[in-house]
Amino acid sequence: MAESQRVVIIGGHGKIALLAAPKLVAAGFTVDSLIRDPDQSADVTEAGATPRVLDIESAETSEMAEAFAGAHAVVFAAGAGGGNPARTKAVDQEAAVRSMDAAVQAGVSRYVMVSYARSQTDIDSVDPTSSFYPYALAKHQADNHLRASSLDYTILGPGALTLEAGSGKIKVLEPAKAGEVMSEEGASVDTSRENVAQVITEALATGSAVRETVNFLDGETPISEALASVSS
């Protein structure tokens, strides 16, 4: 397969990445998954990807650019996992920003960021003393850096992630109103991780949702149709 069809996933051992890798392979891509622990290699290989050991928390921009060289796209699916504000900033913001700069440096224009549905609005509504605030701020800053870049980005904002089987159907939310919709009484805010993986695959396979933010929950609209409407 042509080198131009290689996708590099950052955070390759995460749940979304392990679900996305076989879908991307089935769609005709080859996948390199960046991991920080060599012991994770077997799981990555089983998912159909090639494991590449690179700790993005400490890796310089030039090291990331070397890993991205010749790829069709970069997918950022990493996260510090919360609990440590300093590490949250180091991974979810600073490493994310370096990866964007590295993609530009490597000449890889396509970039997919896995964010969350309220990343544009939470910093105005979440108490700065809340333990969640450092994550909200880090994702908000990273997403804004991506929007200001020259990259052909797609920012994906799922709701509350679940391990339910993907339905292949979603409901797209207006980014500025995502928090409002999700806080409505009785509203379902769930998003299957497998649906997120399918959205990543669809966006890269079809070239849809370029320079768009796609906030979404599990819903009733087929993913292909939903992304086509965002791109129209």
Side-chain angles (χ1 to χ4, degrees):
M1 178 169 293
E3 174 74 352
S4 62
Q5 293 304 300
R6 181 168 61 93
V7 174
V8 180
I9 303 179
I10 301 170
H13 193 254
K15 293 182 178 69
I16 290 174
L18 290 173
L19 289 167
K23 294 181 186 299
L24 288 165
V25 170
F29 297 100
T30 58
V31 179
D32 282 356
S33 288
L34 304 188
I35 54 176
R36 63 190 178 107
D37 183 354
D39 290 343
Q40 299 169 338
S41 296
D43 291 338
V44 169
T45 300
E46 186 177 348
T50 300
R52 307 289 187 192
V53 178
L54 183 67
D55 185 351
I56 62 162
E57 188 174 353
S58 59
E60 299 291 339
T61 302
S62 58
E63 294 177 271
M64 292 191 197
E66 185 177 345
F68 301 163
H72 169 70
V74 171
V75 176
F76 191 95
N84 183 324
R87 187 157 186 269
T88 294
K89 182 177 182 180
V91 175
D92 292 282
Q93 180 179 338
E94 294 172 344
V97 166
R98 286 198 304 278
S99 75
M100 298 165 202
D101 296 344
V104 173
Q105 185 175 314
V108 180
S109 62
R110 195 72 171 98
Y111 189 106
V112 176
M113 165 62 75
V114 179
S115 186
Y116 77 107
R118 302 187 313 273
S119 71
Q120 286 182 249
T121 58
D122 267 356
I123 63 163
D124 297 320
S125 58
V126 174
D127 185 341
T129 63
S130 164
S131 60
F132 182 73
Y133 187 80
Y135 176 78
L137 180 60
K139 296 300 285 185
H140 182 83
Q141 300 283 50
D143 289 355
N144 281 346
H145 185 86
L146 184 53
R147 291 187 184 98
S149 76
S150 61
L151 293 167
D152 291 333
Y153 68 81
T154 301
I155 297 173
L156 302 181
L161 294 169
T162 76
L163 290 172
E164 296 297 317
S167 63
K169 298 179 179 181
I170 60 174
K171 174 183 178 180
V172 175
L173 308 174
E174 290 184 44
K177 296 183 178 180
E180 184 180 318
V181 172
M182 294 172 71
S183 63
E184 291 176 357
E185 186 175 352
S188 172
V189 299
D190 289 348
T191 311
S192 158
R193 285 181 173 85
E194 188 175 8
N195 274 348
V196 178
Q198 186 58 46
V199 172
I200 292 169
T201 305
E202 179 73 17
L204 292 181
T206 63
S208 54
V210 171
R211 296 193 68 82
E212 296 284 356
T213 298
V214 185
N215 290 353
F216 62 99
L217 308 173
D218 292 338
E220 299 301 325
T221 305
I223 287 170
S224 57
E225 184 181 324
L227 289 192
S229 69
V230 169
S231 303
S232 60

